[in-house]
Amino acid sequence: MHSSKIETFRQISRILLQRFFFIAMPFILLCWAGLELSYRNQYKSVIFDIEKKQESVVRLSALQLRTIIESVNNDLNIIRNSDEFTTFLASPDSLTRNEISQMFARFLRSKPSFSQLRYIETSGREVIRVNRSREGIDIVAPENLQMKSDRYYVKSMQTLKPGDLYISDFDLNREDGEYTIPYEITVRFGIPVFNSTGNAGFLLVNYDGLKLLQILTEFEVSESSRISMGLLSSKRILSFSNQGSREDLTESFFYHQDEQVDELLLRISSPGNDMNRFNLEDIHYYYSGIEFSGAFHTIFDKAAGNWYLISSYDSNRVKAESDQFFIRNKWLITVILLIISLTLFIIIFLYSLKESEHFYLVATGYVSDFSHDGIIITDHKMRLIYCNRVFESTFGVRFDEVKGKKPHEFLQGQSRIKLSETDNGTNIWEGNVWDMTSSGVYLQKFLRIKTVSTTHKGVQYYIGIYSEPRTILGYQNRGGNDIDSSYLSQDTLDFLSPDLDGKYRHEANRLVMILRINNISDIVSLLSESEESSFIETLSENFQSVLSSDGLVIAPRSGMFLLSDVLENPPMVDVLMEKIDLILSSSRFLYNGRVSVEYVSGLAYSPEHGKTAYELINNAYIALDALSRMKRVKYLVYNQSIFEQVKMVRHIKDEIDTAFADGEFSVVYQIQNDVITRTPIGVEALVRWNSSRLGHVSPAVFVPIMEEDLQIKRLGKHILKMVLEECEAIMEMVPEHFKISINLSSQEFNDKQLVRELVHMVQESRVVSEKICFEITETILSENLNHTSFTINYLHSNRISVAIDDFGTGYSSLSYLKHLRSDKLKIDRAFIKDFPENDDGTIIKAISDLAHQMGVRVIVEGVETEAQLNYLRSLHCEEFQGYLESRPVNIRELRKQLEEKL
Ligand code: C2E
Ligand code: MG
Ligand code: MG
């Protein structure tokens, strides 16, 4: 038991792990990959967004910057081309200068970004200067004008040509090389001024640098602070910051003079950088130069170089922001994934568990497709989960149609089995039942229902096995009477018929019922004489009350009733029987509850079961008699198959005594061979009956009939005696491990006393016990495990071997096989007979593998072809038996065969 549990556990764990790895793991990985992918996509789309914004911000800033520069250029040109300025250039005196100064002041007033406007001579001498101060606009007095020839911008401007626009570096207030605080960022724009003699000087405007830099802050994407904007010149990155206050801008302006500029310029000027994009480590840049449409020529001061608008974002920071959800919810996601895996694991576990049970049941059921019996498996609620092919063809149903239904829903039999009765310790209910096929024919079957329960869960499955009726219908042995004409004794018929004969001729739906109270003698013993007659009378009256006006009740004998009525239609039988049953079961309330009626009744109705009263009574009686040998069935309607069976059984039973007396039984032997060497290593003894009246009768027919009357025990001893006597003659010639197999039916095997007698017979004979093997059928295994195991052990202790015959044809409880130490497994002919044409041999392989795993030898019966033998060889089966080697032969023939082959 223990090892099988471990085995099952191992199997389930293996299936479980396999499933988990092949189904659940990929699913979890897929979930995980999905999350990862969506995260990556999200990150990608964020980056895409940022880059788009970067581009537009840079482009717009560049456009704005260009517009400013163009407008400054315009303004300067307006001044230069003004009448006042032309007049001044022609005759520069204090008057004209004063007028220009006034004009400069007006100009400055209207342009808040201009902090200073000057006219400087080529030599560098300031001619006119107008300043913007805190107080207002100042025209600088001539005595305060300075010489600026040493300034870099003056030097640069001396080379300007007509149409040029000079743009200086961003300049800080510097006094003697020191920055003065507050810094004032200034950019100078200048154009050359020519007179008739040539280059006369330049118009120069100081532009408020911070106003320029506001372009940068204006477009900076401040809401997420992801993008920084800057203006890059050859020395500086201006305002790579995103805080918009004036002070900060000044600060950032000041502090951003660093080496990074060189690296950025290098990347900008490096070839292959057409996309205006590059990155330095994690910082991603986008830049754009400022282009002019050619109306004027911009000259950037050498110190400033070209200007670029440049933006950057830190991919690390963006990643960190996108990661945030995942990082923040890392635990949550892990927990969710864990819960998913756990749930999957549990679902798969439960499913595997359930399926492995199903697997075992259905696997055995599958084997049962080769069974001679109809097999069904239902769940604990009795809903069908499996039926084999035999069941399907017997009852004319298809599994697909009846799956999930309860058997009584599609088998409208007369038997109402209460399955609670199965649990009286044995877990087996058995009895003869009548069930209706889909075409409406009643079939009698011997039904055994096994309950499969677990220790804690109670009933889990019911396994129903429909075999041929064990208790073949009985009959009354009345000597040479011809059963065809009359079943009842003439006396009975004479007794009943005066009231009836002639009455029912050709009347439709006339029902005759014979009802017998089985325990009438017990009841009578409890009652006084007057009580007895009133009991019968009351019952008769009650019966009468449920019949129609055509009804009739006769009580010919104590405990025997004959009821007759005309039914509207045959199915009304059920209704009537329910009423009758109610009357009889309520009779236990009579006589202080002392009476409990047990009864059976046989029924027949016209015209199907007879046209005359004689025929109907006769057949109702046949049904009653058949019924009395069944368990738990209360009433039975006659049908033709009952009659056929009764007739056959009767013929056989009548002949059995003669057969024993006249020595009509004989034994034949069929050799069993080694699969590899093909030498005989045993024989099976098979009974033969050549009846003087019935001819050859097959043991498959008469053995079950003999079982009914326990005649089989007599036969068993008879056969063994013959075998032991006959085989004495071959004992010297057979090899050491040679076995003589003898079939034992379940009746024989289950009778401890008989088994002891048989063993004794062997011991008394000249054949040593080691040479004897008893073959028992597989069905015995499912009957009583303890008893079977006990008997097998008993045989073993007497050195007799045991083989399991017809393996695979019953409910093959493979698990039982493990616990019983049988020596040999005989695989039924059904599993080899269609090989290789209609069967690929998978099942025979599965069974033989299983047997080998359990250390049991395998013999295959019914081997007829070389191909079959070769296949068995490949499966390492040990033995075979069949027409290929020999048919069963008598002892003389056997001797000859052995002489030849050994
Ligand atoms: P079984 O014990 O399974 O016997 C094997 C049956 O298969 C025998 O049928 C045998 O003649 C038949 N057989 C053997 N080789 C081949 C083959 O290659 N092809 C075919 N088609 N059939 C083959 P048999 O003798 O008619 O016996 C039928 C059954 O009657 C036996 O089945 C056994 O269950 C029972 N039986 C026979 N003798 C006895 C006996 O002495 N006592 C009891 N209790 N039962 C017996
Ligand atoms: Mg056998
Ligand atoms: Mg067999």
Side-chain angles (χ1 to χ4, degrees):
M1 201 71 194
H2 188 64
S3 70
S4 89
K5 267 189 186 158
I6 292 176
E7 187 47 41
T8 314
F9 178 76
R10 271 202 204 128
Q11 192 136 350
I12 293 174
S13 338
R14 214 190 48 231
I15 295 175
L16 185 68
L17 284 178
Q18 270 176 3
R19 292 235 169 109
F20 191 73
F21 278 107
F22 292 112
I23 304 171
M25 281 304 260
F27 182 76
I28 292 165
L29 286 177
L30 221 65
C31 282
W32 184 74
L35 277 171
E36 177 72 20
L37 210 71
S38 80
Y39 157 69
R40 271 171 203 229
N41 273 344
Q42 189 196 335
Y43 174 65
K44 261 193 198 156
S45 80
V46 168
I47 293 288
F48 184 76
D49 253 28
I50 290 180
E51 294 190 340
K52 277 272 151 286
K53 269 189 191 150
Q54 230 186 342
E55 277 184 39
S56 64
V57 169
V58 166
R59 293 239 161 90
L60 282 171
S61 305
L63 185 72
Q64 191 151 347
L65 191 59
R66 199 184 76 194
T67 315
I68 289 173
I69 293 171
E70 279 172 357
S71 92
V72 171
N73 183 56
N74 248 356
D75 290 343
L76 290 174
N77 278 305
I78 287 169
I79 293 171
R80 195 196 50 198
N81 297 334
S82 65
D83 290 346
E84 291 92 331
F85 199 72
T86 322
T87 318
F88 164 75
L89 276 186
S91 54
D93 53 28
S94 57
L95 191 76
T96 48
R97 205 181 65 184
N98 195 33
E99 267 189 26
I100 299 168
S101 300
Q102 293 301 328
M103 181 185 74
F104 276 26
R106 281 200 304 278
F107 220 97
L108 218 57
R109 225 170 264 129
S110 70
K111 301 278 176 190
S113 315
F114 289 11
S115 53
Q116 196 179 60
L117 196 57
R118 285 183 284 179
Y119 176 62
I120 300 176
E121 280 180 355
T122 318
S123 62
R125 193 172 63 89
E126 285 181 329
V127 181
I128 301 162
R129 175 158 71 150
V130 183
N131 281 339
R132 181 191 299 278
S133 72
R134 266 183 210 130
E135 289 76 37
I137 308 295
D138 282 344
I139 298 171
V140 177
E143 58 276 18
N144 290 335
L145 293 172
Q146 293 167 3
M147 189 65 187
K148 299 283 185 183
S149 54
D150 59 333
R151 302 296 159 94
Y152 77 95
Y153 54 85
V154 172
K155 285 176 190 159
S156 299
M157 287 186 67
Q158 283 166 340
T159 60
L160 291 185
K161 292 181 196 68
D164 283 351
L165 172 73
Y166 166 78
I167 302 171
S168 79
D169 189 9
F170 279 72
D171 207 358
L172 296 175
N173 255 10
R174 257 195 303 194
E175 294 291 328
D176 304 325
E178 293 286 313
Y179 295 107
T180 56
I181 294 177
Y183 317 110
E184 286 206 354
I185 310 164
T186 302
V187 182
R188 296 182 182 81
F189 295 93
I191 57 166
V193 176
F194 290 88
N195 60 14
S196 49
T197 57
N199 195 343
F202 355 94
L203 276 168
L204 196 65
V205 66
N206 281 12
Y207 201 94
D208 181 346
L210 289 182
K211 286 248 165 71
L212 266 188
L213 294 180
Q214 262 169 19
I215 300 165
L216 309 178
T217 55
E218 204 171 304
F219 291 111
E220 244 173 10
V221 185
S222 52
E223 93 270 4
S224 68
S225 311
R226 279 166 169 165
I227 300 174
S228 298
M229 278 293 299
L231 183 66
L232 179 74
S233 72
S234 67
K235 276 188 186 164
R236 305 179 174 90
I237 311 165
L238 297 167
S239 184
F240 243 133
S241 113
N242 36 41
Q243 264 64 54
S245 87
R246 206 177 165 87
E247 279 74 16
D248 284 350
L249 276 175
T250 318
E251 292 262 301
S252 58
F253 167 69
F254 178 67
Y255 284 114
H256 276 99
Q257 308 178 47
D258 50 36
E259 310 80 46
Q260 210 190 347
V261 174
D262 294 339
E263 208 165 350
L264 292 178
L265 285 170
L266 196 74
R267 294 302 294 260
I268 287 174
S269 59
S270 70
N273 203 9
D274 346 325
M275 302 302 292
N276 293 10
R277 240 175 224 300
F278 61 91
N279 25 319
L280 295 174
E281 289 172 3
D282 295 323
I283 314 290
H284 293 238
Y285 292 92
Y286 180 81
Y287 66 90
S288 172
I290 306 141
E291 280 146 32
F292 298 95
S293 45
F296 57 93
H297 183 59
T298 46
I299 305 289
F300 285 92
D301 194 280
K302 281 198 291 299
N306 277 337
W307 289 357
Y308 293 97
L309 278 153
I310 186 159
S311 75
S312 75
Y313 72 86
D314 186 340
S315 65
N316 260 340
R317 205 174 127 198
V318 174
K319 195 162 156 45
E321 274 170 25
S322 322
D323 278 350
Q324 247 174 23
F325 172 80
F326 285 88
I327 291 165
R328 233 182 299 137
N329 299 301
K330 202 166 118 197
W331 283 113
L332 187 75
I333 289 168
T334 317
V335 167
I336 289 174
L337 276 178
L338 267 176
I339 291 174
I340 291 176
S341 351
L342 207 72
T343 320
L344 275 174
F345 192 82
I346 291 170
I347 291 172
I348 290 176
F349 177 74
L350 292 178
Y351 186 72
S352 306
L353 210 65
K354 191 145 188 68
E355 213 196 25
S356 67
E357 279 169 15
H358 269 235
F359 173 76
Y360 282 127
L361 284 169
V362 173
T364 50
Y366 179 52
V367 169
S368 322
D369 264 348
F370 290 79
S371 170
H372 309 307
D373 302 330
I375 293 177
I376 60 172
I377 303 176
T378 73
D379 64 11
H380 65 288
K381 287 188 176 157
M382 277 182 277
R383 288 172 306 214
L384 193 78
I385 52 177
Y386 171 80
C387 71
N388 72 348
R389 279 187 240 151
V390 181
F391 181 85
E392 285 181 324
S393 58
T394 309
F395 290 102
V397 292
R398 280 210 0 253
F399 176 61
D400 301 343
E401 296 162 0
V402 294
K403 186 179 164 190
K405 288 190 189 164
K406 298 184 177 178
H408 69 80
E409 290 168 6
F410 56 90
L411 299 175
Q412 285 121 14
Q414 299 178 339
S415 32
R416 293 282 175 268
I417 302 157
K418 289 205 175 62
L419 276 171
S420 53
E421 292 166 5
T422 60
D423 257 346
N424 52 7
T426 61
N427 278 350
I428 293 175
W429 179 96
E430 56 182 32
N432 281 331
V433 293
W434 286 86
D435 276 316
M436 201 198 278
T437 67
S438 62
S439 53
V441 177
Y442 275 110
L443 283 184
Q444 189 200 19
K445 290 280 165 191
F446 179 76
L447 172 62
R448 167 183 291 145
I449 299 174
K450 258 188 76 65
T451 314
V452 180
S453 7
T454 53
T455 29
H456 24 271
K457 272 209 234 157
V459 176
Q460 265 192 304
Y461 299 101
Y462 292 104
I463 296 161
I465 304 159
Y466 286 84
S467 41
E468 287 311 311
R470 290 282 177 88
T471 322
I472 302 282
L473 298 173
Y475 69 107
Q476 289 185 337
N477 192 341
R478 283 167 293 108
N481 266 5
D482 186 357
I483 193 168
D484 292 332
S485 61
S486 166
Y487 186 76
L488 287 186
S489 69
Q490 200 55 46
D491 295 351
T492 314
L493 283 174
D494 287 348
F495 181 73
L496 294 171
S497 58
D499 276 343
L500 301 171
D501 196 26
K503 277 195 180 164
Y504 301 155
R505 212 167 279 275
H506 306 301
E507 193 178 6
N509 295 338
R510 166 60 72 172
L511 173 83
V512 170
M513 175 197 309
I514 299 175
L515 190 147
R516 189 176 66 209
I517 297 177
N518 287 336
N519 59 339
I520 189 69
S521 51
D522 295 345
I523 294 171
V524 167
S525 67
L526 291 170
L527 305 176
S528 67
E529 213 164 288
S530 62
E531 279 176 329
E532 186 194 333
S533 59
S534 79
F535 171 65
I536 301 294
E537 232 165 82
T538 317
L539 280 182
S540 300
E541 277 167 20
N542 289 343
F543 289 151
Q544 191 77 60
S545 71
V546 296
L547 301 180
S548 71
S549 53
D550 291 326
L552 170 79
V553 179
I554 307 170
R557 242 193 265 142
S558 184
M560 189 81 152
F561 294 87
L562 189 147
L563 281 72
S564 180
D565 199 1
V566 179
L567 301 173
E568 273 171 44
N569 50 49
M572 291 299 286
V573 169
D574 279 347
V575 181
L576 180 63
M577 286 318 293
E578 260 166 43
K579 290 180 187 164
I580 301 275
D581 191 55
L582 192 69
I583 292 168
L584 287 161
S585 51
S586 57
S587 65
R588 73 188 138 91
F589 299 116
L590 302 170
Y591 313 105
N592 309 324
R594 280 175 293 162
V595 171
S596 167
V597 178
E598 287 165 24
Y599 74 97
V600 283
S601 57
L603 293 85
Y605 50 79
S606 61
E608 284 93 329
H609 311 138
K611 293 192 177 76
T612 64
Y614 272 118
E615 285 168 359
L616 288 173
I617 296 167
N618 192 51
N619 292 341
Y621 207 93
I622 288 177
L624 177 73
D625 201 18
L627 189 61
S628 62
R629 287 157 205 280
M630 295 179 199
K631 295 175 188 168
R632 288 167 228 262
V633 184
K634 283 183 177 171
Y635 73 96
L636 179 62
V637 179
Y638 171 88
N639 71 39
Q640 187 63 28
S641 83
I642 297 176
F643 179 65
E644 295 301 330
Q645 282 187 41
V646 167
K647 210 166 92 175
M648 179 192 71
V649 170
R650 182 173 168 182
H651 285 316
I652 288 173
K653 286 194 171 179
D654 282 348
E655 290 307 311
I656 286 175
D657 278 338
T658 326
F660 277 115
D662 296 356
E664 288 177 355
F665 293 116
S666 63
V667 185
V668 289
Y669 302 88
Q670 187 177 29
I671 48 176
Q672 300 172 331
N673 303 276
D674 186 293
V675 164
I676 297 167
T677 61
R678 263 179 102 153
T679 50
I681 50 174
V683 284
E684 178 178 10
L686 296 157
V687 66
R688 290 291 174 262
W689 180 18
N690 187 9
S691 159
S692 55
R693 287 187 60 182
L694 304 171
H696 284 287
V697 185
S698 161
V701 173
F702 70 80
V703 165
I705 294 173
M706 287 177 83
E707 281 183 326
E708 194 184 313
D709 290 350
L710 307 186
Q711 291 274 26
I712 193 70
K713 298 184 183 176
R714 188 175 165 199
L715 180 75
K717 283 195 270 185
H718 184 69
I719 302 288
L720 183 65
K721 187 163 171 282
M722 281 198 281
V723 170
L724 292 171
E725 280 170 10
E726 288 184 354
C727 286
E728 216 186 295
I730 56 162
M731 275 304 108
E732 312 92 62
M733 58 194 298
V734 297
E736 196 191 338
H737 297 295
F738 194 87
K739 292 265 189 284
I740 301 160
S741 298
I742 295 136
N743 292 288
L744 285 192
S745 69
S746 67
Q747 290 266 354
E748 296 171 83
F749 184 81
N750 288 332
D751 184 334
K752 281 187 190 165
Q753 178 56 34
L754 181 78
V755 173
R756 245 178 263 132
E757 277 178 51
L758 296 177
V759 170
H760 187 70
M761 282 169 67
V762 174
Q763 285 163 346
E764 292 297 294
S765 76
R766 286 164 191 268
V767 178
V768 287
S769 316
E770 282 90 344
K771 292 264 178 304
I772 300 295
C773 172
F774 284 133
E775 290 189 3
I776 57 174
T777 54
E778 193 194 3
T779 33
I780 294 177
L781 300 185
S782 62
E783 281 168 1
N784 186 336
L785 201 58
N786 285 341
H787 177 251
T788 309
S789 168
F790 176 87
T791 308
I792 292 179
N793 287 344
Y794 173 72
L795 292 172
H796 279 164
S797 69
N798 285 290
R799 298 185 302 282
I800 293 173
S801 332
V802 176
I804 309 292
D805 203 356
D806 300 345
F807 188 79
T809 61
Y811 167 60
S812 39
S813 21
L814 304 182
S815 54
Y816 288 156
L817 208 60
K818 283 189 202 169
H819 312 312
L820 299 171
R821 296 186 300 120
S822 71
D823 306 272
K824 224 195 262 189
L825 199 72
K826 287 191 86 172
I827 301 181
D828 195 72
R829 196 174 86 82
F831 297 92
I832 195 77
K833 71 178 198 306
D834 295 329
F835 181 89
E837 291 79 13
N838 294 316
D839 178 3
D840 62 2
T842 339
I843 294 178
I844 205 163
K845 180 176 184 327
I847 299 177
S848 77
D849 284 352
L850 195 104
H852 286 142
Q853 269 172 33
M854 294 187 291
V856 178
R857 282 174 79 81
V858 171
I859 174 164
V860 180
E861 314 183 65
V863 177
E864 295 182 355
T865 67
E866 289 288 346
Q868 291 169 347
L869 179 61
N870 286 336
Y871 183 58
L872 298 183
R873 218 169 263 152
S874 76
L875 298 182
H876 309 292
C877 292
E878 283 82 6
E879 300 173 31
F880 76 98
Q881 175 183 347
Y883 296 168
L884 173 66
E885 199 62 32
S886 166
R887 290 183 174 254
V889 293
N890 64 29
I891 189 75
R892 280 182 311 283
E893 288 289 321
L894 176 69
R895 243 193 102 90
K896 266 191 233 160
Q897 283 185 353
L898 292 178
E899 269 164 9
E900 266 170 42
K901 293 181 179 179
L902 280 172

